[in-house]
Amino acid sequence: MDTPRRKLRNLHMENVQNNSTPIRIPPSPMLKTLGHGTGVSVYRLDRSPKHGQIRSPWAVKRITQRTRAKKEMVYNERIVHEAAILRKLNHPNIVGFRGVIKTPEGIDTLALEMCSTSLGSILEERHDEDLGPLPAKHTFKMIMDIAHALDFLHCEARLLHGDLKSFNVLVKGEFEICKLCDFGVTLPLDENGEISFQKNPHLQYVGTTLWSPPEIIDEVEIIDSKADIFSFGLIIYETLALVPPHTLELDAAFNSSNNTMDMDSSQELPQRKQLSYDNDDSLTATTTMPKDTTPAEESIDEEDDGDDDGDTDVDEDDTKENDISDYSMTHIEQAYGTRPPLPVAFQLSDDYNCIVELFYLCTNALSEDRPAARTIWQCFENNAANVATACDVSSD
């Protein structure tokens, strides 16, 4: 069953590449910035009409001018790796690959499907506006869609995403569909669905530490696809707490006028969206600096695409860093790889029961005690009618 599908997918990609049309990517200042990741920026590319027909925009991703100046080419290598991975993935809940081009200087630009925004951005806005947890019906939709994506990734593509967090979940419209993005640090799973770091010393789990499972924190020699499930559970936590895992007390301190942490009282306390959660084992408070500029215009081979909508990326890279206090960092580091406590401030209605239960199941300390992605979407699908009814009743 797998071989014919793989052949058909490869034939499709060959046909797309043979029928591709070169386009021009203008300099970065002429593009709308969608977001920043670790060492990269993401821009919106509005394409010119073709044969009189309006074409959907793309998101283009490349390393920043600052990263190039530092010659930190590992981030460009991740873009190359992500492009190679996305070429082979074809799933409605995984962001679509559109094309890639390398400049004479060796810098790669990746073109992706566009989505409206990211889950992380949505949660930031809810937090800043004190709106409370994400509505249960939206969280339910996110869980279903991303569980489908993970099932495909783990069982068919044989890949571990390795960096699941709310900013790597894209959202189209009013949660019409959710898509998984950012495949720059994925790892191959063997025939048993595992990764042996002892047998494959060249492999390294790079994911963001706040969302990392206990087996990564403990540096065990063999992990499996359930590492993604723990991180997925922490995304569910984010929809309830509206802050990244292990930062609830830190967030409360930042927003308290009676802050007693060891911080310079002359500094303005950063808000949630000014915290930088990078996959380099660092957590810093940040203040946005001027955006990156890229002088050279680039060309890229266009690939035929269907209906596409928005991509956005995550954490701010071109920033000025303010050290978080030693007390705060020690508190957070001790919590890495554990199940964070749910906030007590929010009163959750009954339609959140299955969501909270799944959060606890996914964040079990032992890998074997966590559900597989397929089990998650199948269970939620079986209960979809009851959940939808509960959500409708609670909204009346």
Side-chain angles (χ1 to χ4, degrees):
M1 290 295 290
D2 289 340
T3 303
R5 278 190 206 158
R6 193 174 296 111
K7 287 182 178 179
L8 287 173
R9 194 176 326 114
N10 291 340
L11 286 174
H12 167 72
M13 294 307 302
E14 290 175 6
N15 290 334
V16 165
Q17 291 165 0
N18 291 337
N19 293 307
S20 62
T21 304
I23 65 168
R24 307 295 292 181
I25 298 182
S28 297
M30 298 175 64
L31 298 172
K32 179 182 178 182
T33 302
L34 294 176
H36 298 279
T38 309
V40 301
S41 289
V42 182
Y43 306 93
R44 176 188 173 103
L45 173 64
D46 291 307
R47 299 183 293 156
S48 301
K50 185 176 182 180
H51 304 307
Q53 294 183 345
I54 301 297
R55 297 188 293 174
S56 56
W58 284 350
V60 293
K61 181 177 182 179
R62 56 192 172 205
I63 61 174
T64 64
Q65 181 72 30
R66 181 181 177 185
T67 303
R68 288 194 287 272
K70 291 182 177 180
K71 297 183 179 180
E72 296 176 337
M73 297 307 291
V74 63
Y75 300 112
N76 192 75
E77 292 169 6
R78 290 178 185 175
I79 288 179
V80 175
H81 177 67
E82 182 173 11
I85 293 296
L86 286 174
R87 280 183 184 272
K88 304 173 184 178
L89 302 182
N90 182 17
H91 191 275
N93 298 118
I94 291 178
V95 66
F97 172 78
R98 298 295 179 250
V100 66
I101 187 68
K102 184 183 289 291
T103 68
E105 295 77 23
I107 304 302
D108 292 85
T109 298
L110 173 63
L112 300 165
E113 172 187 12
M114 279 276 294
C115 289
S116 305
T117 185
S118 72
L119 178 63
S121 297
I122 292 172
L123 299 180
E124 282 184 346
E125 291 177 5
R126 295 191 67 84
H127 174 275
D128 292 345
E129 297 175 13
D130 293 324
L131 295 178
L134 189 69
K137 61 181 179 181
H138 293 335
T139 301
F140 182 87
K141 175 62 174 172
M142 182 278 294
I143 289 171
M144 285 285 289
D145 286 356
I146 301 306
H148 274 289
L150 291 175
D151 182 27
F152 171 81
L153 203 64
H154 296 162
C155 298
E156 292 196 42
R158 291 290 182 184
L159 292 171
L160 183 81
H161 183 277
D163 194 22
L164 287 178
K165 53 190 174 186
S166 59
F167 288 102
N168 288 342
V169 174
L170 304 179
V171 180
K172 175 181 177 181
E174 289 296 317
F175 284 84
E176 297 167 26
I177 191 169
C178 298
K179 295 173 180 273
L180 193 56
C181 74
D182 203 343
F183 292 81
V185 294
T186 57
L187 295 173
L189 296 167
D190 63 20
E191 62 277 6
N192 298 317
E194 297 177 339
I195 300 169
S196 173
F197 294 111
Q198 186 177 32
K199 293 181 180 179
N200 302 278
H202 62 287
L203 297 180
Q204 182 182 6
Y205 187 98
V206 184
T208 314
T209 310
L210 284 174
W211 286 264
S212 294
E215 54 266 36
I216 293 300
I217 304 302
D218 295 339
E219 299 182 347
V220 301
E221 293 182 352
I222 298 176
I223 66 172
D224 59 21
S225 60
K226 301 293 185 65
D228 273 348
I229 299 300
F230 186 94
S231 302
F232 185 40
L234 295 183
I235 294 178
I236 297 172
Y237 167 86
E238 290 184 83
T239 68
L240 301 171
L242 302 182
V243 294
H246 316 306
T247 65
L248 191 61
E249 292 183 13
L250 182 64
D251 178 79
F254 281 167
N255 288 282
S256 171
S257 59
N258 297 318
N259 181 21
T260 58
M261 286 188 177
D262 182 22
M263 298 182 67
D264 184 352
S265 59
S266 65
Q267 292 180 342
E268 180 182 357
L269 297 179
Q271 300 297 312
R272 176 202 191 276
K273 61 184 176 183
Q274 291 175 291
L275 290 178
S276 176
Y277 314 106
D278 297 335
N279 49 13
D280 61 356
D281 293 335
S282 64
L283 172 62
T284 54
T286 59
T287 305
T288 305
M289 296 292 283
K291 298 292 187 289
D292 165 53
T293 57
T294 303
E297 190 177 59
E298 301 171 357
S299 64
I300 186 170
D301 285 339
E302 172 184 359
E303 297 197 357
D304 294 334
D305 60 317
D307 180 34
D308 44 25
D309 290 85
D311 188 339
T312 152
D313 216 327
V314 279
D315 319 315
E316 296 179 346
D317 176 72
D318 292 335
T319 54
K320 179 181 178 181
E321 298 182 354
N322 302 307
D323 291 337
I324 294 178
S325 70
D326 291 341
Y327 171 86
S328 303
M329 279 308 306
T330 300
H331 177 80
I332 292 174
E333 289 171 356
Q334 290 174 344
Y336 287 159
T338 66
R339 176 190 294 143
L342 290 173
V344 296
F346 299 144
Q347 296 296 322
L348 299 176
S349 56
D350 290 344
D351 46 315
Y352 285 93
N353 287 347
C354 61
I355 294 171
V356 173
E357 182 179 357
L358 182 61
F359 158 66
Y360 279 102
L361 288 172
C362 290
T363 53
N364 277 322
L366 297 178
S367 172
E368 56 266 29
D369 292 337
R370 303 171 204 152
R374 181 166 300 179
T375 302
I376 293 172
W377 71 254
Q378 285 179 341
C379 289
F380 268 60
E381 191 173 71
N382 292 336
N383 291 286
N386 293 332
V387 172
T389 301
C391 292
D392 291 339
V393 169
S394 64
S395 63
D396 290 340

